[in-house]
Amino acid sequence: MGTGLTSADAVLRLAAAATDADGVAPFNEQTVLAVRHGADGYRHHWLAEGEELLAHAVVDPEGSGELCVHPAHRRRGLGRRLLDTVLDDVPTVALWAHGDLPGAQALARAAGLRVTRELWQMARDLEPGAQAPAAAAPAGVEVRTFVVGQDEEAWVALNAAAFAAHPEQGRLTVADLHQRQAEPWFDPSLLWLAHEAGRPDALLASMWVKPEGQDAEIYALGVHPQAQGRGLGGHLTALALAEMRGRGFRRTTLYVEGDNTAAIRTYRRAGYDRSSLDVQYAR
């Protein structure tokens, strides 16, 4: 990022003001990391008055974008001005509306954009106190926790295979993983790896939990395509839920594609219900 109005601090302060006003963050985690650390291929547009940043938009190298207008300067047409600038620069951009708030819906309609993707947040409460441990792993499978400095490349390869069709998750790199490891929430004891028995490097699936205060997010649950049907997803979910309860978390959340009916069915069986909706708009 640059200096002054375009500095990372200025953009993150703008996002924090929007989060406080709306109850939902305007930028996802990857965008925040790209702003904070700088990232090649990201495109930035902004509107300002004097020394005040009024609005900012970020578009990633794959054409997925987000925009934010300061709550004190809304209803002045700034969102449409910024959106038009983004569309002129990247006509094929797909823009996220986190929470799909009424203002975002109105802006999308006015610009002739349509919904092209839905991302559900699902949540469930957790009963306090220690719980019975999860059942034994499926036959021929062992589970261990992530070892920093050893498992990064193997986990990235597993994640890429498990999310090969996913537009964001499947393209995480070792550098992206290192950024997340540097975040204060990262805890390797909340990242489990399922592997072939006796072969700790032969990874089959992983479950990653992100602690957020009294909440715990199922951050990424991935099963290698060749290991599908072995009950690994269900086993790792049960293991994670037992650990969350044992650590005193009160609520658990996760994100899932709105058209992934199999995953939604699995999570509903585990007690999750939809709690919020992110929508992507495009021409």
Side-chain angles (χ1 to χ4, degrees):
M1 296 293 292
T3 60
L5 291 173
T6 62
S7 71
D9 285 346
V11 176
L12 296 178
R13 285 196 302 270
L14 171 67
T19 301
D20 290 343
D22 299 333
V24 61
F27 299 144
N28 64 25
E29 181 184 60
Q30 183 57 43
T31 297
V32 169
L33 291 173
V35 169
R36 183 180 297 151
H37 299 289
D40 294 337
Y42 280 77
R43 307 173 77 87
H44 297 264
H45 297 277
W46 61 90
L47 300 173
E49 284 182 351
E51 296 300 312
E52 184 176 8
L53 181 64
L54 306 182
H56 196 94
V58 184
V59 181
D60 72 17
E62 284 69 36
S64 178
E66 296 161 309
L67 64 82
C68 172
V69 179
H70 195 287
H73 297 282
R74 293 174 180 173
R75 301 183 182 279
R76 295 174 51 188
L78 298 177
R80 182 59 189 270
R81 281 175 55 193
L82 186 59
L83 174 57
D84 287 344
T85 299
V86 172
L87 288 169
D88 286 343
D89 182 44
V90 187
T92 59
V93 67
L95 289 162
W96 281 111
H98 299 292
D100 198 25
L101 302 174
Q105 295 177 20
L107 179 61
R109 284 196 303 270
L113 305 182
R114 60 185 179 85
V115 174
T116 57
R117 184 179 169 198
E118 291 186 350
L119 186 66
W120 290 22
Q121 185 188 71
M122 302 184 76
R124 59 159 290 180
D125 292 333
L126 293 169
E127 304 80 7
Q131 302 290 317
V141 175
E142 295 175 350
V143 177
R144 63 180 178 86
T145 53
F146 185 91
V147 178
V148 174
Q150 169 185 297
D151 290 323
E152 284 81 358
E153 291 190 6
W155 182 86
V156 167
L158 168 66
N159 186 71
F163 292 99
H166 194 282
E168 290 96 19
Q169 184 68 27
R171 66 173 187 254
L172 286 181
T173 65
V174 171
D176 293 327
L177 177 56
H178 284 159
Q179 283 187 346
R180 285 155 177 78
Q181 288 174 314
E183 292 293 300
W185 57 262
F186 177 73
D187 181 349
S189 70
L190 290 172
L191 175 47
W192 294 272
L193 305 176
H195 58 87
E196 297 285 4
R199 299 174 59 201
D201 294 332
L203 302 187
L204 303 172
S206 72
M207 162 66 79
W208 190 353
V209 169
K210 176 182 180 180
E212 300 178 299
Q214 291 190 322
D215 289 0
E217 176 189 343
I218 292 184
Y219 188 64
L221 169 60
V223 179
H224 195 286
Q226 295 179 359
Q228 296 285 349
R230 297 177 64 176
L232 294 170
H235 173 70
L236 290 174
T237 299
L239 186 156
L241 287 170
E243 185 68 15
M244 291 177 204
R245 294 187 188 101
R247 294 196 185 198
F249 292 109
R250 305 305 298 270
R251 181 173 177 266
T252 171
T253 63
L254 59 88
Y255 288 90
V256 61
E257 295 291 331
D259 60 358
N260 190 342
T261 55
I264 289 171
R265 185 165 55 248
T266 295
Y267 289 130
R268 286 199 188 280
R269 285 199 297 265
Y272 289 85
D273 287 311
R274 195 176 86 175
S275 55
S276 68
L277 177 68
D278 294 344
V279 170
Q280 202 167 51
Y281 290 96
R283 284 173 165 164

